[in-house]
Amino acid sequence: MRTVDVRVGAPGPGPTPPTRRRSRASWHARANGVVLAWLALVALATLTHDHLPAPRWLLIHVFLLGAVTNAIVTWTEHFAIALLRRGEPSPWVRPVRLATLNTGVAAVLYGATYGPVRLGIAGAAIVVGVIGWHVAILVSWSRRALGGRFAHVVAWYIGAGAALVTGGTLGGLMLAAWPPGMSSTRLQAAHVHVNLLGWVGLAVLGTLFTLWPTVLRTQVAEGSGVIARRSLRLAVPGLAVTVGGFLGGARWVAVAGLLLYAAAAALALVPFLRTARRRPPHTPAAWMLAAGTAWFVVAVLADLSVVATRPADQVAHGIEPLVPFTLVGFAGQTLLGALTFLLPVVLGGGPAALKRNAALLERGWIMRLAVVNVAVPLIALPVPGRVSLIAWGFVVAALAAFVLLAAVTVVRARGPRVSPTVGGVAVGLLATAVAVALALSDGRGVTPATKLAVQDNSAGVRAVEVTLANMRIMPGTIEAAPGTRLVLRVTNRDAQQHDLSLATGQRTPMLGAGQTATLELPPLAGPIDGWCTVPGHRAAGMTMRIDVKGTAPAPASGMDHGGRTDHTATAPGVLNLTAPMSPGWRPYDATLRPGAGGTEHRMEIHAVWKDIEVAPGVRQRMWTFGGTVPGPVLRGKVGDVFTITLVNDDTMGHGIDFHAGSLAPDVPMRTIRPGERLTYRFRAEHAGAWLYHCSTMPMLQHIANGMYGAVIIDPPDLAPADREYVLVQGELYLGQPGGTEQVAKMRDGRPDAWMFNGTAAGYDHAPLTARPGERVRVWVVAAGPASGTAFHIVGAQFDTVYKEGAYLLRPSQGDGASQVLDLAAAQGGFVETVFPEPGHYPFVDHDMRHGEAGAHGVFEVTR
C-alpha cells in the first residue's frame, strides 16, 4: 500500500519500495507519537490545573503549540510531498526539525510560565526559526515542482507558516514587554488571531480541499482548484489587515480584515459543502471533521461580533469565552478526526491491518463525538461552575480515550517491540510528573514545607517567596548583599489579578488567584523598586523595594503602571466651569422614568473604561458601569427582584455592591476578572434611594473614578409627581486613573471638582426643566466616596423630605418646609417642591466648597 493513496482521484508516483515504506511508517509513528504525548500532557495538565502554579495560558499553549503545531508541521510536509510529487527529504532533516521544534516549545512553556522570561523569548525565537525553515522548504519545493492537480494546496501551507512566524514573533514581543508604548492587549489580540485564524485556520482549510473528499471516499469537487486559489488571495490580505488593525488600535480596520477573512473562509468551504451534499458524512473521521468545521464557522462569526462591538484594547478579553469553540470544537476535533483517518493509513500493513487499526481507533466514537460537542457550549457559555467542570471532564475523558486507543493501535501495528508512540507518551507523562514536582518544589527541591526564603551561599543565589494579597506585596522590603542573584517566586493569594513589575524592566505575567510566576534577577548592583501595574494598585500601596546593603538609596522612579509616566494632575481651582461644553457633548439624562412593569427586573451592565467630558472642555478617562457616570439607574418597588449581570469588559478586575439588597457579600460581590460575567440577584425589601458601586479594592479609587450608580425603590405610598429627576453627586479627581498623584488627592480628600451626574457644572449648560405649579420630585444620592451633600434649590422650599427610608417632612404635617436635604456619603433620599413662577432656579450643594467647585446646576422653569 502507498501512503499517497490518501488522495482520491489524484495522480501519484509509482509504488513505494518496501524499505522506503517501512521507513516512512516508522517516521510517522515517531512524529505522531510526539503529538500523542502532547495530547496526553493536555489531559493530565487539565486534570491537575488547580494544583499547578500555572496560568490557564499554559494549558492552551500545551495543546496549540505542542500538539497542534507538531501535527501541522508533520502533515503539511507529508501532503506537500505527495501533492508536489517530491521525494523524501534527507534522513537528518525530520529528526533535527522535530527535536529543535519541541525544544523551542518546551522553552516557551517553561520560560513564560515559571521564568526566566528570556528562556521563553529564546524558545519563541527557536519556534519561529523552525517554522521559517519549514516554510522555506515548502517554497523551494513549490518552485521546483512539476505541477499537479492539487499543488495549489501547498500555498495554503506556506501562508499558514508565515502566519505562525508572525504570531510567534508577536508572542516573543509580549514576553519581552516590547515595544514599551504598545498596549499588551493589542499585541495579544493580534497574536491570538494570526495564530488561530492563520496557522491553524489556513492549514486546516487548505487540507480540507483534498482530505475531505478522501475521507468521504469520493472525487474532489470540480472547480476546487480555482476556488482554493481565489479564497487564499482573500484570506491572507484579510488576516494581514486584521492584525494591523489590532496593532494600531483601529477596531474597524480589524473588523474589515475579519470580514474579508470570513468571506474567504466561506468561499473555501464551498467545495466542502458540495462534496458533503453529494456524499454525506458516514465515517467517524468524517463526522469529526464536519463538527470541527462547523465550530470553526461559529468561532469566526462570534469573533467578528466581539471585535465589532468592543474597543481594540478590550478585544483580547472579549474573545476569551470563544476559546473553547476554537480549541475544543474546531482545532481539537479536526486534529482527532484527521488522525483517526490518517494514522492507520501511514502505519501501513496492508488492507486488513488498515481496517483493524481503523476499527480500534473508532471504538466509542459516537459517544466521544456527542459528549465533546455537547460540552463545548457548556464550557464557553456562562453556566454554573459545576456544569462547566463536568463538561471539561467529558472533554478530558474523550481526549484520554483517543490517546489510549492510538497508543494501542501503534503497538499492535508495529509488532511486539516497544512502540515509539508508547515511549513518547510515557516520556511525556514522566516529564509532566517531573514538571509538577519542580513547580511545587520551587524548581530547586524546596518542598512546600520549606517554602521560605532560601540562601544558596556557594552560588550567591537567594530564593524569596513573594506574596500578592490585600493590596500589599509581602515582604515589602528585601535586603541582600551586592552581587546576590535573587530568585523571586511570586504568588497571587488575592481574589483579583495582580502582577509584579520591577524597575529593571522584568515583570511577571498578570496572575490570577493562586497562580505563581518566577523572576530571576541579575547580580544586584543597587536598589530596585517593584510594584503591581494594575491601575491604582501601586498608589494603593502595592509596592516593594529590594535594598542592597552598603549602597546609596535609589532616586524615586517617577514611573508608574509598567513604565508609563504619571500624568500631572490638574490643580484645584483651575477649571473654567463657565466655559462652553465641547461640541457634541450630551448631558446625563437626569429624568427618572417610571419603573418597568412586573416584579422582576433584569439588566446587563458592562464594566468599561471610557473617556468622558467631566467639566467644560475637560475629558478624563473614567472607570464606568455601562459607559456613563453614574451608571444606569434602576427603579422598582418594595418586593421586586433584581437580576443584574455584570460583564467585565475592562482590563482589570471589578465587582459590584448593591446597597438596595441584603445578602451575604461573599459570592455576589466578588471581584471578577476581565472577560468574566457575574449574576447578582437581590430582593428589594425596603424603600429608599440606594447607592451601588464597585466592590473591588481599593474601593476609594474605583468609586472616585466613576464606578457608582443609583437604585430607586419607591415607598409604597409614593404620591404621583409631575416630574422626577435623579441626581447622583460625586467627586472628580483629574489625572491618570490610579496614578500616584491622583490617589494622593483621594486620600487627602482634595477633589478637583464635585459633580452632579458625572459632569461638573453640567446642568448649568443643559438646565433641567419644569413648569410653574408642577410638583417636581428630585431624588439625590451622595456617591462620595468621601463627602456628602447639602442639596438646596435657590428660590425654592421643600414641602416633602424623604431621607434614608423615612419621611422627615410631608405637606400633611403642617405649615413647615425644609431648605436642605443633608446626606452623608452613600446616603440617599428625595425632596419635592413646586416652583411658584417662571425663572431660573439654581440647585447647589450648599457646602460652598462643593457648590463653587462644580456641584451646581439650574432648573429652567417656563410656562
Side-chain angles (χ1 to χ4, degrees):
M1 181 176 185
R2 295 176 291 138
T3 58
V4 295
D5 284 346
V6 297
R7 300 179 296 115
V8 173
T16 304
T19 301
R20 186 176 174 187
R21 184 171 63 244
R22 286 194 298 269
S23 174
R24 182 179 298 174
S26 177
W27 159 248
H28 274 284
R30 290 194 298 271
N32 287 287
V34 173
V35 174
L36 294 176
W38 281 114
L39 290 176
L41 286 175
V42 172
L44 184 59
T46 303
L47 290 173
T48 59
H49 180 231
D50 289 340
H51 305 289
L52 286 174
R56 182 186 181 198
W57 175 94
L58 180 64
L59 297 178
I60 295 173
H61 284 71
V62 167
F63 176 65
L64 286 179
L65 197 56
V68 174
T69 293
N70 272 278
I72 290 176
V73 170
T74 298
W75 288 106
T76 53
E77 181 199 63
H78 172 78
F79 292 135
I81 290 173
L83 298 174
L84 298 176
R85 304 179 182 181
R86 294 287 308 181
E88 298 290 324
S90 300
W92 63 270
V93 171
R94 286 168 165 170
V96 169
R97 184 187 62 205
L98 184 70
T100 307
L101 174 62
N102 285 279
T103 298
V105 172
V108 170
L109 298 178
Y110 194 89
T113 306
Y114 304 111
V117 172
R118 60 180 176 272
L119 177 63
I121 297 172
I126 292 172
V127 172
V128 167
V130 171
I131 301 304
W133 177 23
H134 176 63
V135 170
I137 291 175
L138 295 182
V139 171
S140 175
W141 287 354
S142 297
R143 288 178 176 176
R144 300 176 184 178
L146 299 176
R149 183 181 173 190
F150 305 107
H152 53 268
V153 171
V154 179
W156 285 80
Y157 300 156
I158 294 172
L164 186 60
V165 168
T166 304
T169 302
L170 293 175
L173 292 177
M174 290 169 61
L175 288 176
W178 191 90
M182 174 68 72
S183 166
S184 61
T185 54
R186 294 182 186 180
L187 278 172
Q188 184 181 353
H191 169 79
V192 169
H193 280 81
V194 76
N195 282 338
L196 291 180
L197 300 184
W199 175 234
V200 182
L202 294 182
V204 171
L205 288 175
T207 300
L208 287 176
F209 283 107
T210 53
L211 181 61
W212 179 241
T214 303
V215 171
L216 293 180
R217 293 178 171 84
T218 186
Q219 295 293 321
V220 175
E222 289 297 327
S224 293
V226 174
I227 290 176
R229 284 185 284 269
R230 289 178 178 175
S231 55
L232 183 61
R233 293 189 192 115
L234 294 176
V236 172
L239 197 58
V241 171
T242 300
V243 172
F246 285 130
L247 294 178
R251 178 179 52 162
W252 292 111
V253 173
V255 170
L258 279 175
L259 284 172
L260 191 59
Y261 180 92
L267 180 60
L269 290 175
V270 168
F272 180 95
L273 295 174
R274 288 177 179 172
T275 305
R277 188 182 303 116
R278 186 173 67 247
R279 185 170 174 80
H282 57 281
T283 65
W287 279 111
M288 292 180 200
L289 291 175
T293 304
W295 284 118
F296 173 72
V297 173
V298 170
V300 171
L301 294 178
D303 179 50
L304 185 57
S305 173
V306 169
V307 176
T309 56
R310 299 202 181 197
D313 285 337
Q314 299 176 19
V315 167
H317 301 294
I319 61 177
E320 284 191 7
L322 307 182
V323 169
F325 294 148
T326 308
L327 264 64
V328 181
F330 166 50
Q333 288 197 106
T334 301
L335 176 60
L336 267 58
L339 288 176
T340 298
F341 177 79
L342 294 170
L343 195 57
V345 174
V346 297
L347 288 177
L354 188 149
K355 291 181 180 179
R356 185 171 62 251
N357 292 334
L360 180 58
L361 276 178
E362 294 169 359
R363 285 188 182 178
W365 72 272
I366 296 177
M367 179 62 70
R368 286 187 276 127
L369 182 73
V371 298
V372 167
N373 287 281
V374 169
V376 168
L378 295 179
I379 295 170
L381 300 176
V383 298
R386 185 177 297 275
V387 175
S388 179
L389 184 63
I390 293 173
W392 270 117
F394 283 144
V395 170
V396 173
L399 175 60
F402 177 83
V403 172
L404 179 61
L405 291 172
V408 174
T409 300
V410 175
V411 169
R412 191 166 66 178
R414 305 305 298 161
R417 62 189 180 84
V418 176
S419 166
T421 304
V422 176
V425 174
V427 170
L429 295 176
L430 179 60
T432 301
V434 172
V436 172
L438 287 174
L440 296 178
S441 66
D442 245 5
R444 287 179 169 76
V446 183
T447 63
T450 59
K451 273 191 172 179
L452 298 177
V454 180
Q455 180 73 41
D456 183 344
N457 296 319
S458 61
V461 177
R462 181 181 174 191
V464 179
E465 290 291 326
V466 177
T467 302
L468 311 177
N470 302 317
M471 304 308 295
R472 291 292 182 269
I473 301 176
M474 298 169 283
T477 302
I478 300 173
E479 291 188 352
T484 302
R485 295 184 59 197
L486 286 178
V487 178
L488 306 182
R489 181 174 170 81
V490 185
T491 302
N492 181 14
R493 300 297 183 192
D494 210 349
Q496 59 178 308
Q497 289 185 315
H498 297 293
D499 66 353
L500 175 60
S501 177
L502 301 179
T504 57
Q506 293 175 294
R507 66 180 184 183
T508 68
M510 195 61 66
L511 302 174
Q515 295 179 347
T516 298
T518 300
L519 295 178
E520 291 189 10
L521 279 62
L524 295 178
I528 300 173
D529 289 323
W531 59 88
C532 176
T533 66
V534 175
H537 287 197
R538 181 181 186 182
M542 289 202 71
T543 62
M544 68 172 296
R545 184 177 177 83
I546 300 172
D547 282 330
V548 179
K549 299 176 182 177
T551 61
S557 169
M559 305 293 285
D560 201 357
H561 311 301
R564 298 189 295 274
T565 305
D566 275 348
H567 296 295
T568 302
T570 305
V574 303
L575 296 177
N576 182 3
L577 300 178
T578 62
M581 303 298 292
S582 300
W585 172 78
R586 294 290 183 271
Y588 186 97
D589 187 359
T591 303
L592 181 62
R593 293 171 175 78
T599 59
E600 184 164 355
H601 310 277
R602 295 180 178 273
M603 179 178 287
E604 186 172 282
I605 299 177
H606 292 252
V608 297
W609 60 260
K610 189 172 183 180
D611 291 332
I612 295 176
E613 187 163 358
V614 293
V618 178
R619 297 187 69 82
Q620 169 78 8
R621 176 160 294 184
M622 303 294 285
W623 304 344
T624 76
F625 288 120
T628 62
V629 178
V633 176
L634 285 68
R635 189 176 194 180
K637 301 181 182 299
V638 174
D640 286 0
V641 174
F642 291 81
T643 302
I644 310 299
T645 300
L646 174 65
V647 182
N648 189 356
D649 290 337
D650 205 347
T651 56
M652 60 181 172
H654 290 298
I656 197 165
D657 175 7
F658 287 97
H659 291 192
S662 179
L663 69 172
D666 305 60
V667 174
M669 300 181 198
R670 71 184 185 276
T671 296
I672 59 173
R673 294 178 296 179
E676 292 185 339
R677 303 167 66 93
L678 177 149
T679 299
Y680 192 125
R681 183 180 174 88
F682 67 91
R683 183 182 300 276
E685 302 287 357
H686 302 285
W690 303 92
L691 177 69
Y692 71 86
H693 60 85
C694 184
S695 58
T696 295
M697 293 296 290
M699 272 187 274
L700 172 66
Q701 295 180 39
H702 286 252
I703 297 174
N705 276 305
M707 300 198 77
Y708 55 80
V711 179
I712 306 301
I713 305 300
D714 295 345
D717 58 349
L718 185 66
D722 297 298
R723 296 177 190 260
E724 286 188 276
Y725 295 103
V726 60
L727 298 172
V728 183
Q729 182 170 318
E731 300 162 5
L732 172 62
Y733 295 89
L734 298 176
Q736 178 163 323
T740 303
E741 294 185 17
Q742 188 207 44
V743 175
K745 290 188 292 183
M746 293 178 187
R747 289 176 171 171
D748 295 341
R750 296 183 289 108
D752 294 288
W754 279 261
M755 309 178 292
F756 282 120
N757 290 351
T759 306
Y763 294 115
D764 284 6
H765 304 273
L768 305 180
T769 60
R771 296 183 183 277
E774 289 183 332
R775 175 159 293 276
V776 177
R777 179 181 297 132
V778 184
W779 296 80
V780 183
V781 175
S787 57
T789 184
F791 182 75
H792 171 71
I793 300 178
V794 180
Q797 297 174 331
F798 306 141
D799 61 15
T800 304
V801 177
Y802 180 91
K803 175 184 175 182
E804 286 294 283
Y807 284 97
L808 304 184
L809 180 66
R810 305 182 79 166
S812 60
Q813 293 176 341
D815 296 331
S818 174
Q819 54 197 316
V820 162
L821 173 61
D822 60 318
L823 301 171
Q827 289 188 325
F830 70 81
V831 291
E832 294 178 8
T833 191
V834 176
F835 294 107
E837 58 184 350
H840 291 82
Y841 296 76
F843 60 87
V844 300
D845 180 344
H846 217 285
D847 182 328
M848 285 305 165
R849 296 173 302 154
H850 306 169
E852 293 177 2
H856 54 75
V858 174
F859 274 101
E860 187 176 67
V861 180
T862 59
R863 292 195 184 276

